[in-house]
Amino acid sequence: MRAHEAGALHGDIGNRGPAWLRTPVDVNSLVPQLWPRHVVRAASGALEVAGLDVRDLAAEFGTPVYVLDEDDLRSRCREFRAAFPDVDVYYAGKAFLCRAVVRMIAEEGMFLDVCTGGELATALSAGMPPERIGFHGNNKSVAELTRAVDAGVGRIIVDSFAEIDRLTALARERGVRPKVLVRVTVGVEAHTHEFIATAHEDQKFGFSLAGGAAAAAAFKILDEGVLELRGLHSHIGSQIFDASGFEVSARRVLGLQAQIRDARGVELPELDLGGGFGIAYTTQDDPAAPHELAKRLRKIVDGECAVEKLAVPHLSIEPGRAIVGPAVFTLYEVGTVKSVPLGTGGSAADGRAYVSVDGGMSDNIRTALYDASYSATVANRASAAEPLLARVVGKHCESGDIVVKDEFLPADVQPGDLVAVPGTGAYCRSMASNYNHVPRPPVVAVRDGRARLIVRRETEEDLLALDVG
């Protein structure tokens, strides 16, 4: 490898791809852990999801389209609840939120965390019981806090002294006593991308443990007696596979619990360990099952409580990606295919195949933003062609508009083919944009052989309606 002035995505010379990517024996085969549970390649050669042919979905709803396997999402909710029977399991709404998903997770007995007024409005409009909502955010406005208090939101996770003051004034004005958790920055840097690691000290979230701000925040709330301090909250990042980060985090935050007990004689009854549990985007990822996570986290908390002589607090966790991420794939149509020489002076085999689809960074920014890796397959047919190492790219006016950096597709991939990218349920539609004035794709939920539109496709009329100039 050599450095490339345009960035790491352009730095790999040759067409071998990353070390973990293996040439498939059968380019048509699906790796089960990457796909929603009800996706198969049918006898026709096309993918089917919950009994529906993706070609029919493309014909009815167009492309790009996010396809949600509803029973997959629901089964993941049930698995987390079964693995954590005495724990409040909050679905992290920032991963993907719409009213249909709110209703699904509510029906499955989940709690919900939100982090903006818009997410809170969506939750309430879909009928989520407010007492089962947790409200996050590092800069909640007075209007957002007012809505949360008036709605009776179950937990507000306070993130700054300014917020404590705002919420205290609001509580006095309303004559209520909101239940709060203090978000603690524990100084644990998870093994993840810098921008999604959230517990090291040099970032915007929470109260520093090492600097004493977390203890000061807890003492302030207890001493003023206006807000009801229920416990502490810690979140160490996203796409985490190593439980050691949770062990260090729990040790430190429970140490703060003991410090509060010793200083004020109050043993806080709750502890939220956050989320960030990873999923499989490619064959290099090996996520733990919910029951394994439960076993590890329970052992960690029980052990640390015994050391600190604390009663085991009532726990909460916040899986988002782990529930919705694997339950969705994005379906695209191929527009162009190019073989691009890489300047190595070799044969055509030293080039790279660029497969351009009708979406891109406006519907999946994660590859460009986080250097994330994804998988893909030709979805409308099977092929007898040899595997070809390809890069799936979008239609936007950016050289970094890459959806899948490296994947083996059949060498006869051509315009008009459908390409499906799995693992796109989390942080794809929720982070989608209108870059280049491209309308955002729809979300279609599929269950028992039936498809229903749960988020409609934006139109050019929608874009122009906002343009009042």
Side-chain angles (χ1 to χ4, degrees):
M1 178 186 289
R2 70 185 187 198
H4 192 289
E5 61 270 22
L9 292 177
H10 298 270
D12 294 328
I13 300 301
N15 66 345
R16 295 176 59 188
W20 54 263
L21 184 63
R22 299 288 185 264
T23 305
V25 175
D26 179 5
V27 75
N28 304 297
S29 64
L30 303 179
V31 180
Q33 65 264 33
L34 305 184
W35 291 90
R37 291 166 177 171
H38 301 97
V39 169
V40 298
R41 192 175 293 278
S44 66
L47 296 192
E48 288 184 356
V49 52
L52 289 183
D53 191 309
V54 297
R55 295 172 294 185
D56 295 332
L57 291 173
E60 181 175 357
F61 299 104
T63 57
V65 57
Y66 303 104
V67 182
L68 167 66
D69 180 349
E70 181 173 340
D71 279 335
D72 188 328
L73 183 146
R74 288 178 178 273
S75 67
R76 294 178 192 276
C77 291
R78 293 172 195 149
E79 286 169 7
F80 268 98
R81 290 199 63 223
F84 293 88
D86 54 349
V87 172
D88 293 340
V89 183
Y90 285 79
Y91 170 72
K94 64 180 180 176
F96 172 63
L97 200 67
C98 68
R99 285 184 289 189
V101 166
V102 172
R103 294 185 189 106
M104 291 176 202
I105 64 110
E107 289 167 3
E108 298 301 335
M110 301 280 283
F111 288 64
L112 171 66
D113 84 50
V114 300
C115 56
T116 66
E119 289 182 356
L120 178 57
T122 301
L124 294 174
S125 70
M128 187 73 188
E131 65 273 13
R132 285 162 55 189
I133 297 175
F135 191 15
H136 280 273
N138 68 298
N139 189 26
K140 306 179 192 71
S141 68
V142 173
E144 289 174 323
L145 290 171
T146 300
R147 175 183 278 178
V149 169
D150 289 347
V153 161
R155 298 291 182 274
I156 298 175
I157 297 85
V158 294
D159 203 274
S160 68
F161 289 107
E163 183 184 335
I164 292 174
D165 290 339
R166 290 181 196 132
L167 189 56
T168 298
L170 184 61
R172 285 192 172 117
E173 176 187 311
R174 291 292 201 271
V176 295
R177 195 162 187 242
K179 294 179 173 66
V180 301
L181 304 177
V182 169
R183 178 155 179 170
V184 181
T185 308
V186 293
V188 177
E189 188 162 1
H191 297 292
T192 186
H193 190 280
E194 176 186 359
F195 295 160
I196 54 177
T198 58
H200 55 283
E201 294 290 346
D202 187 14
Q203 48 90 31
K204 70 178 186 176
F205 293 108
F207 294 91
S208 169
L209 180 64
F219 295 153
K220 176 180 174 68
I221 294 169
L222 290 170
D223 293 346
E224 290 180 346
V226 178
L227 310 177
E228 182 180 347
L229 180 59
R230 297 295 300 170
L232 305 177
H233 178 284
S234 171
H235 181 68
I236 62 173
S238 295
Q239 191 59 0
I240 299 167
F241 298 107
D242 184 1
S244 61
F246 289 102
E247 183 173 1
V248 178
S249 173
R251 180 180 306 126
R252 293 179 181 177
V253 78
L254 286 168
L256 177 57
Q257 292 260 41
Q259 180 185 347
I260 294 167
R261 175 201 59 197
D262 296 343
R264 293 294 190 275
V266 176
E267 195 161 315
L268 300 178
E270 297 181 14
L271 173 62
D272 192 323
L273 294 172
F277 313 124
I279 67 169
Y281 288 106
T282 69
T283 54
Q284 67 180 323
D285 298 324
D286 185 23
H291 71 274
E292 295 170 341
L293 290 170
K295 182 178 179 181
R296 295 177 192 175
L297 294 182
R298 178 60 74 188
K299 180 179 180 181
I300 289 168
V301 172
D302 288 350
E304 295 304 321
C305 284
V307 170
E308 297 289 354
K309 296 182 173 57
L310 288 166
V312 176
H314 184 78
L315 297 179
S316 300
I317 59 168
E318 300 170 357
R321 181 197 314 265
I323 289 174
V324 73
V328 176
F329 65 90
T330 308
L331 191 64
Y332 301 97
E333 183 176 331
V334 176
T336 64
V337 180
K338 295 180 182 179
S339 180
V340 178
L342 296 179
T344 58
S347 65
D350 292 317
R352 192 191 307 279
Y354 276 75
V355 178
S356 297
V357 296
D358 54 354
M361 64 192 303
S362 61
D363 58 72
N364 187 349
I365 192 64
R366 293 190 69 258
T367 307
L369 185 62
Y370 301 139
D371 195 24
S373 295
Y374 282 89
S375 304
T377 192
V378 169
N380 58 302
R381 62 185 176 91
S383 173
E386 291 295 312
L388 171 72
L389 188 63
R391 177 162 288 174
V392 180
V393 297
K395 63 183 292 179
H396 298 284
C397 193
E398 291 284 345
S399 59
D401 178 24
I402 297 169
V403 179
V404 183
K405 289 180 290 185
D406 296 285
E407 180 59 287
F408 284 100
L409 297 177
D412 62 354
V413 60
Q414 59 190 325
D417 277 335
L418 298 176
V419 168
V421 177
T424 57
Y427 307 106
C428 290
R429 181 58 174 81
S430 63
M431 297 177 76
S433 73
N434 294 126
Y435 182 49
N436 290 152
H437 276 51
V438 172
R440 289 177 291 181
V443 183
V444 174
V446 181
R447 190 182 196 191
D448 296 332
R450 300 181 64 183
R452 63 184 175 114
L453 190 67
I454 60 174
V455 179
R456 71 166 174 83
R457 184 182 300 279
E458 285 184 332
T459 65
E460 292 177 355
E461 288 73 20
D462 291 325
L463 301 181
L464 295 174
L466 297 174
D467 188 341
V468 298

